Amino acid sequence: MKTVTIQLQKEADIVKHSFSLTLDDCQSDTKVIIENAYESNYANGWLNYKPYISKDGQTWQISEKAGSYDNKQFSFIIPAGFKMASWYQPYTITDFNNFAKSRGIENLIETENNIPFIKIGDFNKPTILIMARQHPGETQGSFMLEGIIDELVEIKSKLKKFSFLIIPLANISGVENLNHRYSVEGVDFNRAWNSDNKDIQNLKQIISQIQNKAFCLDLHADEASKKSYIYYGGCNFLPESFYQSLFPKEFMFLKELSRLRRFAKNLIRHKRIVSLAKPDTAKNYFIKNGFDSFTIELVAHTQTPQECYKLGKKLIKNLKKQA
Ligand SMILES: [Zn+2]
């Protein structure tokens, strides 16, 4: 079997978790070795991980077999006939534009400072803010967002209580540059909401169009967890019980400190760096500014793009039931 050796690249001087490669020759199976897999901050995410593979760069599928991780290198097999492999299915700006065109909603896309956004409904009604790709490599959020948008467009006339502001590619420079966590300037957006960073100011300017704040959904993905979860706070606009029934049951709610601490301990045991006090996250910024706020963590390991999409649809279906 042919063997190809690659290195995880750096962004902002930090080794990024995601990778993508194209083979010159795919006539037989190819073993790929990622030599510095252990250097990622989320290295335990390589355990039993199944990378995504593609024959043409258009259609992707999850590998049937998990790769192997020996605490240093991660290796996996690209079967014959498949030309490309990636940490997860890619999702570019072009993918979003093509999605919008295919749904006939490209005329809804507005742009400010190069950041695209979509407004749906009457902004006199409370507005739900939905944001994806603060961390540009977490493409899972884009697939969930496609489900959200599809369902919203379908039932628009039935959602009488809310309007929506959607920012599909919040970290646009990072998305363009195929970064995993940072902008091209090396900023982790979700640790910069109290800073004077220009990109964050631009996002705040778009969000300032909201007159009546309802709640905010910020879509992310976890590289190592096997279970999807939601960090949340606020619950002033609507009671906690409303939100409990809003989110699909696949998500674990993390609010009570004891549970959160237990979870965090678990992460630390797996060598993930977790700080419980993160005042600069979007979640905390939004809570301070009058939104009920939810950070949704999809999981790279077990949730395929198709499943992320379905979760997005389910969420809006539940919202319709509630509202
Ligand atoms: Zn994230």
Side-chain angles (χ1 to χ4, degrees):
M1 195 187 314
K2 210 174 56 167
T3 300
V4 170
T5 301
I6 62 166
Q7 300 273 338
L8 295 176
Q9 302 295 304
K10 279 188 174 177
E11 58 179 23
D13 285 332
I14 290 175
V15 172
K16 67 181 191 181
H17 191 77
S18 52
F19 66 88
S20 61
L21 78 153
T22 304
L23 299 174
D24 296 330
D25 162 28
C26 60
Q27 300 205 334
S28 58
D29 291 1
T30 303
K31 181 178 183 176
V32 178
I33 300 173
I34 302 179
E35 281 189 320
N36 62 338
Y38 71 100
E39 288 186 312
S40 159
N41 269 341
Y42 318 102
N44 58 315
W46 297 120
L47 275 171
N48 299 315
Y49 193 69
K50 294 176 177 177
Y52 281 71
I53 50 175
S54 173
K55 291 178 176 171
D56 55 9
Q58 300 293 319
T59 308
W60 290 81
Q61 65 187 72
I62 191 167
S63 298
E64 271 175 39
K65 280 188 192 149
S68 58
Y69 181 54
D70 65 3
N71 287 320
K72 201 156 196 293
Q73 300 182 332
F74 175 70
S75 58
F76 65 99
I77 308 290
I78 303 180
F82 287 85
K83 234 177 126 173
M84 301 164 98
S86 178
W87 172 67
Y88 196 83
Q89 181 169 335
Y91 194 101
T92 62
I93 299 167
T94 307
D95 288 324
F96 178 72
N97 289 333
N98 288 343
F99 163 76
K101 257 183 225 148
S102 73
R103 304 313 200 258
I105 56 163
E106 69 269 38
N107 56 335
L108 289 182
I109 302 176
E110 299 176 51
T111 306
E112 244 182 62
N113 294 307
N114 203 30
I115 305 166
F117 60 96
I118 292 176
K119 288 190 280 186
I120 297 176
D122 172 3
F123 266 46
N124 289 314
K125 294 173 187 167
T127 303
I128 299 169
L129 168 66
I130 307 175
M131 195 162 60
R133 309 289 290 277
Q134 276 207 82
H135 292 143
E138 295 167 6
T139 59
Q140 293 82 354
S142 289
F143 296 106
M144 183 170 181
L145 189 61
E146 284 196 353
I148 288 174
I149 292 175
D150 269 352
E151 194 63 27
L152 273 181
V153 169
E154 212 168 285
I155 63 167
K156 199 166 69 180
S157 59
K158 291 175 191 152
L159 276 167
K160 297 203 164 68
K161 290 190 184 164
F162 295 109
S163 58
F164 296 84
L165 174 62
I166 297 170
I167 305 179
L169 305 161
N171 189 334
I172 196 84
S173 75
V175 171
E176 251 165 2
N177 208 42
L178 304 180
N179 282 9
H180 188 66
R181 193 167 175 97
Y182 301 90
S183 68
V184 278
E185 271 117 34
V187 176
D188 180 340
F189 277 19
N190 209 26
R191 300 290 181 274
W193 281 82
N194 294 322
S195 75
D196 55 7
N197 174 271
K198 188 81 180 68
D199 294 318
I200 296 293
Q201 297 309 319
N202 290 340
L203 287 170
K204 286 180 182 173
Q205 196 184 311
I206 294 170
I207 293 162
S208 71
Q209 299 181 35
I210 296 176
Q211 299 146 23
N212 301 311
K213 296 162 183 168
F215 56 90
C216 152
L217 310 176
D218 182 18
L219 310 184
H220 289 258
D222 188 299
E223 293 84 352
S225 172
K226 300 287 194 299
K227 174 95 184 134
S228 43
Y229 54 97
I230 295 176
Y231 287 114
Y232 70 112
C235 300
N236 298 311
F237 177 74
L238 287 163
E240 198 162 326
S241 56
F242 171 90
Y243 295 114
Q244 293 276 1
S245 56
L246 178 62
F247 292 104
K249 61 177 177 358
E250 284 84 348
F251 290 102
M252 170 167 72
F253 266 63
L254 295 174
K255 189 192 188 185
E256 312 112 72
L257 267 182
S258 59
R259 216 174 153 194
L260 179 62
R261 283 217 181 97
R262 221 178 312 140
F263 184 73
K265 256 191 192 163
N266 214 17
L267 293 181
I268 289 164
R269 201 167 47 227
H270 289 96
K271 291 184 188 143
R272 290 201 47 190
I273 303 151
V274 168
S275 154
L276 288 182
K278 292 175 184 164
D280 282 0
T281 61
K283 176 175 80 72
N284 289 337
Y285 170 82
F286 286 124
I287 292 169
K288 218 171 62 194
N289 285 279
F291 285 92
D292 295 348
S293 187
F294 300 83
T295 306
I296 298 178
E297 293 280 355
L298 296 154
V299 288
H301 267 265
T302 55
Q303 286 167 332
T304 61
Q306 294 73 23
E307 282 160 68
C308 295
Y309 176 86
K310 276 187 208 153
L311 286 173
K313 288 204 93 167
K314 231 191 244 180
L315 175 72
I316 300 301
K317 276 191 180 132
N318 288 346
L319 181 67
K320 196 184 83 179
K321 267 186 241 156
Q322 301 289 319

